[in-house]
Amino acid sequence: MRYSFLSLLRNGLSGQSGWKPAWRDASPKPSYDVIIVGGGGHGLATAYYLASQHGIRNVAVIEKGYIGSGNAGRNTTIIRSNYLLPGNEPFYEFSMKLWEGLEQELNYNAMVSQRGILNLYHSDAQRDAYARRGNAMRLNGADSELLDTEGVRAMYPFLDFANARFPIRGGLLQRRAGTARHDAVVWGYARGADRLGVDIIQNCEVTGLIREGDVVTGVQTTCGEIRAGKVGLAVAGSSSKLAAMAGMRLPIESHVLQAFVSEGLKPLIDGVITFGAGHFYISQSDKGGLVFGGDIDGYNSYAQRGNLPVVEDVCEGGMALMPRIGRLRLLRMWGGIMDMSMDGSPIIDHAPLPGLYLNAGWCYGGFKATPASGWCFAHLLAKDEPHATGTAFRLDRFRTGHLIDEKGVGAQPNLH
Amino acid sequence: MRIPCPYCGARDAHEFAYLGDATVTRPDPSAADAPAAFHDYVYLRDNPAGVHQELWYHANGCRRWVTVTRDTRTHAISSAVFTRSGS
């Protein structure tokens, strides 16, 4: 069923009885052309673009829980393309353009809201760095504006401009950035892929890879063996576990990242604000809660919950930025498992074994990349060569020295 | 999370700094395969979901390095010993 004003009207008049499930709960066939392991945003987007852009429709997405139950449901929903490096910015700007047409393309309300992101700077050196980043964004077709203190004050007068240690000198604004409804992105891609014939298989965990010699020819799952011409892994957080089934060690550590939402408030923040002197980012959901987060906890973890020191650290960042949130109560907090790659950038590449493909290492920047990640991974799976915007995300860059060192934190994930 | 420091007793993880996997060892820089060995040493990790040996430095305590064996799924710590005994 196509969602439209007419379908709303028709179902409104018939007691909402005509709605059908948005996707089938498929059971696995013996074999597929392509199997995508991982039913998050990236996996479902990959399946959707395989079917819609490359005509490969004999595809299954295998998810160990329910779709969107991992990091796709655990992020702070920010979309943006304010990167610096040539390996990154074209990719993220491509993603931003896909976000802008996503709802029409999928016929699904993903609540994409281009409310703008403002990265604050607090020193002359940081202003210079942000000016450079803004110029790099413009060179790659993105939008950016460098604001001074008064420009920021006009947008958010309640920030702590006179903070003794980190006074706000201005900010780098990307107006086309914003937020999207994370679950709806998953559901929209799932519905789009399902309508093109993709099987979405939930509650089915991959327990091993089927190999003939070195060639990967399928997966063993809790629902039995499933054969495939190609197997793509899109399981950020668990990439090392799946890679170990192929005898691989990855340049990745799994770390927990916490996020928070406050009690609901009247409209207070109409965009996304990031604190430049610490790691803190905040926006307000359409329900009114302030959604914010900060750094990873900083130790290897597969537990989807964090510890208190980082809670304190994040809240200190918030208080330094906008002291008026000090009396707010937290409604919920949660943790997700991040694939922390050793240079802070993702991997979309062939695995060393023929038939196996890898989409991993998204650190805590995966949500904004969902459309372009799916697009590039589908391109790689269909054509066996990387998409033009994803050529830098190679697995062997750690061996060759072509790191994508966006934040200058080097090889230690615990420095992020 | 509390870490049982062998010298100070159980202390909040906040007092410690984390270095990471304790099982990787620095290769011999003069060996013929040193570039490949250093790639593995610097970048590749087992990253297990389960028992993990890791290095913590008790920065706000006794300032000793502690090798902690912890389950990365539950944070349950099964052992914590000084990284170099007798030093």
Side-chain angles (χ1 to χ4, degrees):
Chain A
M1 180 197 299
R2 188 173 169 77
Y3 297 151
S4 64
F5 175 71
L6 271 179
S7 69
L8 262 182
L9 186 67
R10 202 177 308 121
N11 280 285
L13 295 173
S14 63
Q16 311 291 354
S17 56
W19 300 113
K20 300 277 191 301
W23 61 86
R24 298 164 292 130
D25 208 5
S27 45
K29 292 190 286 189
S31 79
Y32 292 91
D33 292 341
V34 178
I35 286 177
I36 308 292
V37 184
H42 291 222
L44 290 163
T46 304
Y48 173 75
Y49 291 123
L50 271 175
S52 70
Q53 300 299 316
H54 302 286
I56 300 174
R57 300 186 174 199
N58 186 23
V59 175
V61 177
I62 301 179
E63 166 57 42
K64 72 174 173 186
Y66 58 90
I67 58 169
S69 58
N71 294 332
R74 292 169 178 271
N75 52 74
T76 46
T77 78
I78 299 167
I79 60 176
R80 59 185 175 86
S81 62
N82 52 1
Y83 282 72
L84 170 71
L85 297 182
N88 274 335
E89 179 59 15
F91 172 83
Y92 288 104
E93 175 54 21
F94 178 53
S95 200
M96 198 66 231
K97 289 194 170 73
L98 289 174
W99 281 115
E100 287 173 325
L102 186 71
E103 294 164 307
Q104 298 303 317
E105 160 115 22
L106 295 176
N107 177 229
Y108 202 88
N109 182 9
M111 294 169 67
V112 174
S113 166
Q114 294 181 286
R115 53 183 70 184
I117 185 167
L118 180 65
N119 300 141
L120 298 174
Y121 60 80
H122 307 266
S123 67
D124 289 351
Q126 201 171 20
R127 182 195 58 217
D128 293 349
Y130 278 18
R132 180 179 174 221
R133 175 137 61 108
N135 290 339
M137 291 162 64
R138 284 164 169 254
L139 284 173
N140 286 289
D143 64 306
S144 70
E145 291 170 47
L146 196 66
L147 303 182
D148 60 8
T149 312
E150 291 316 306
V152 174
R153 200 187 297 275
M155 294 179 73
Y156 300 114
F158 52 80
L159 298 179
D160 189 7
F161 288 88
N163 185 300
R165 193 164 171 206
F166 303 118
I168 294 168
R169 302 286 193 212
L172 182 66
L173 176 66
Q174 185 183 22
R175 291 191 192 275
R176 285 164 61 244
T179 59
R181 167 91 164 91
H182 52 346
D183 293 325
V185 175
V186 171
W187 300 331
Y189 274 121
R191 174 169 170 270
D194 178 86
R195 283 153 56 108
L196 294 172
V198 172
D199 279 358
I200 297 169
I201 301 159
Q202 303 183 83
N203 300 308
C204 177
E205 184 171 356
V206 170
T207 54
L209 299 173
I210 303 171
R211 283 160 66 168
E212 286 169 16
D214 268 350
V215 183
V216 174
T217 58
V219 292
Q220 288 154 349
T221 74
T222 50
C223 328
E225 289 192 353
I226 311 174
R227 300 272 164 177
K230 295 175 178 178
V231 176
L233 306 181
V235 292
S238 300
S239 296
S240 296
K241 283 162 75 176
L242 274 287
M245 294 174 190
M248 294 162 58
R249 297 168 82 215
L250 295 179
I252 286 173
E253 288 185 358
S254 296
H255 286 244
V256 62
L257 175 68
Q258 302 188 65
F260 311 83
V261 63
S262 77
E263 58 189 327
L265 299 176
K266 289 184 176 178
L268 172 66
I269 302 172
D270 59 5
V272 183
I273 310 174
T274 74
F275 183 43
H279 203 161
F280 180 82
Y281 36 93
I282 187 165
S283 63
Q284 187 166 21
S285 80
D286 292 334
K287 285 193 290 188
L290 300 184
V291 182
F292 57 94
D295 266 322
I296 52 176
D297 269 35
Y299 46 82
N300 290 52
S301 175
Y302 282 87
Q304 286 176 317
R305 61 183 185 282
N307 271 297
L308 292 172
V310 166
V311 178
E312 186 178 14
D313 184 60
V314 170
C315 292
E316 282 171 354
M319 286 299 290
L321 177 68
M322 38 191 301
R324 61 161 47 184
I325 64 172
R327 310 271 309 259
L328 266 183
R329 283 164 294 191
L330 281 182
L331 191 65
R332 284 183 292 124
M333 50 202 268
W334 62 93
I337 304 307
M338 309 292 111
D339 260 13
M340 297 306 295
S341 68
M342 291 292 178
D343 64 352
S345 297
I347 296 160
I348 304 177
D349 202 357
H350 297 90
L353 301 181
L356 188 65
Y357 299 76
L358 193 61
N359 178 334
W362 289 97
C363 298
Y364 37 83
F367 179 70
K368 74 177 88 68
T370 303
S373 167
W375 188 288
C376 291
F377 200 36
H379 191 279
L380 178 72
L381 281 159
K383 298 184 184 294
D384 269 316
E385 59 187 40
H387 184 259
T389 64
T391 51
F393 301 147
R394 297 172 61 109
L395 177 60
D396 69 358
R397 67 176 184 267
F398 300 94
R399 196 177 292 280
T400 60
H402 295 90
L403 302 185
I404 313 169
D405 197 4
E406 181 80 32
K407 290 172 73 184
V409 289
Q412 291 284 346
N414 55 353
L415 293 181
H416 283 251
Chain B
M1 186 159 72
R2 285 163 77 80
I3 295 173
C5 173
Y7 186 78
C8 306
R11 294 299 184 97
D12 195 290
H14 206 181
E15 293 184 5
F16 296 78
Y18 182 72
L19 184 66
D21 194 330
T23 61
V24 292
T25 50
R26 187 179 174 84
D28 174 8
S30 60
D33 67 342
F38 266 94
H39 165 264
D40 294 0
Y41 165 69
V42 173
Y43 295 116
L44 301 189
R45 295 291 179 268
D46 289 336
N47 192 23
V51 174
H52 188 234
Q53 277 202 319
E54 55 200 22
L55 294 170
W56 293 80
Y57 175 58
H58 199 180
N60 293 310
C62 60
R63 300 201 285 169
R64 294 283 297 267
W65 283 95
V66 183
T67 301
V68 174
T69 307
R70 182 177 60 97
D71 190 317
T72 56
R73 296 165 302 183
T74 62
H75 303 330
I77 292 171
S78 54
S79 100
V81 296
F82 287 135
T83 301
R84 285 206 187 92
S85 59
S87 60

